[in-house]
Amino acid sequence: MNDTKIQQYGDELYQALLDRKPVAPLTDREPSITLDDAYRIQLRMIQRRLDAGETVVGKKIGVTSKVVMDMLKVDQPDFGQLLSGMVVHEGEAIRADSMIAPKAEAEVAFVLKSDLQGPGVTAADVLRATAFVMPCFEIVDSRIQDWKIKIQDTVADNASCGVLVLGGTRRDPRDLDLALAGMVLEKNGEIVSTSTGAAVQGSPVNAVVWLANTLGRLGIALKAGEVILSGSQSPLVPVKAGDSLHCSVGGLGSTSVRFI
């Protein structure tokens, strides 16, 4: 795909974010679009946000569960960039109408104390480089109409990033077995999902290993201070004004989010 089209689609997705009006799937309009094209579109969309004054605060890993991989017909996760304008502090309400079609995911966030530069990063390296982990919510949102996405669509759309809510509890990941830690997700007081960290690439730590090595091959390091979202341990839960969600992770703590 040529640079003109890359810029066009990146600008279109950025405008869809501002206007909260979805666009037709890119894969319908560009049947030959590749993952490389999609990541270049993502970078253009991100650059527009940086030009508007936001800063990069971390990365997210998506498509980590086998169910979602099968749905999108891929055999590996994807990634997106976390920006300062996406961060919501625990206790703050989120306006449901600030997004197009929001869905909540519960997961574990890693905050780094030292850089990770792949390739060759191991699980032990991730644990050593992590300052702490915390429970979190990512509220994903698609600028693609009706969530009719293939992997290239969601990658171009910055891995369907919306906003993120970081929990207040922090633990050293070396004090936990994140693969076995159980997660319970409640919506409006009712349990909607139970899982363990093993649902995410066998462990959330493995997902961060994948990200560090994948970005390393592109010459990109994970930086000290960055937040890394390791991938959803829950199904996508549609949300609307009036909904509240609570997620608890065994040995780690809990976090909540509400929508108005």
Side-chain angles (χ1 to χ4, degrees):
M1 188 178 291
N2 63 41
D3 290 344
T4 300
K5 282 195 170 184
I6 295 294
Q7 180 173 318
Q8 171 194 328
Y9 288 127
D11 290 346
E12 182 181 295
L13 287 167
Y14 176 69
Q15 197 61 46
L17 170 76
L18 296 182
D19 296 341
R20 298 188 293 278
K21 293 181 179 178
V23 300
L26 275 57
T27 48
D28 286 353
R29 292 180 281 165
E30 297 285 346
S32 63
I33 185 173
T34 66
L35 266 181
D36 181 62
D37 295 332
Y39 277 116
R40 290 169 64 205
I41 293 167
Q42 178 189 122
L43 289 175
R44 172 64 183 182
M45 182 190 185
I46 293 299
Q47 190 59 52
R48 292 295 306 274
R49 296 186 70 161
L50 296 178
D51 292 344
E54 293 188 64
T55 57
V56 175
V57 298
K59 308 286 188 295
K60 68 155 285 187
I61 307 163
V63 195
T64 51
S65 72
K66 188 176 186 305
V67 171
V68 179
M69 284 186 189
D70 290 347
M71 180 184 77
L72 294 178
K73 297 181 174 61
V74 293
D75 59 1
Q76 65 176 16
D78 67 5
F79 62 85
Q81 310 262 5
L82 303 178
L83 300 168
S84 52
M86 299 175 181
V87 179
V88 176
H89 298 291
E90 189 173 36
E92 291 181 15
I94 297 174
R95 290 192 61 90
D97 62 3
S98 67
M99 289 175 277
I100 297 169
K103 301 175 187 284
E105 299 179 337
E107 50 195 283
V108 173
F110 290 65
V111 178
L112 301 182
K113 61 184 177 184
S114 56
D115 294 358
L116 278 172
Q117 175 78 59
V121 169
T122 67
D125 294 329
V126 169
L127 293 175
R128 279 193 296 267
T130 300
F132 53 85
V133 291
M134 62 180 80
C136 73
F137 280 106
E138 183 190 358
I139 314 304
V140 295
D141 191 31
S142 183
R143 272 63 62 176
I144 305 298
Q145 194 165 31
D146 299 325
W147 278 93
K148 291 180 178 177
I149 56 172
K150 295 178 180 176
I151 187 67
Q152 296 93 330
D153 295 298
T154 185
V155 164
D157 190 24
N158 195 29
S160 305
C161 283
V163 299
L164 60 138
V165 183
L166 300 175
T169 58
R170 302 176 176 185
R171 291 285 305 275
D172 187 322
R174 293 171 292 188
D175 295 336
L176 303 166
D177 187 334
L178 288 171
L180 296 180
M183 175 183 283
V184 178
L185 174 62
E186 299 173 66
K187 177 180 179 180
N188 301 329
E190 295 187 4
I191 294 175
V192 295
S193 172
T194 60
S195 62
T196 66
V200 178
Q201 299 286 291
S203 168
V205 177
N206 295 339
V208 181
V209 169
W210 174 86
L211 180 65
N213 288 324
T214 298
L215 291 182
R217 288 191 289 273
L218 301 174
I220 302 169
L222 302 181
K223 296 291 189 178
E226 285 194 327
V227 177
I228 310 299
L229 302 190
S230 59
S232 180
Q233 294 184 31
S234 71
L236 291 173
V237 179
V239 290
K240 63 183 187 303
D243 287 337
S244 62
L245 299 174
H246 179 84
C247 135
S248 59
V249 180
L252 182 54
S254 63
T255 189
S256 299
V257 62
R258 60 191 177 91
F259 297 85
I260 58 174

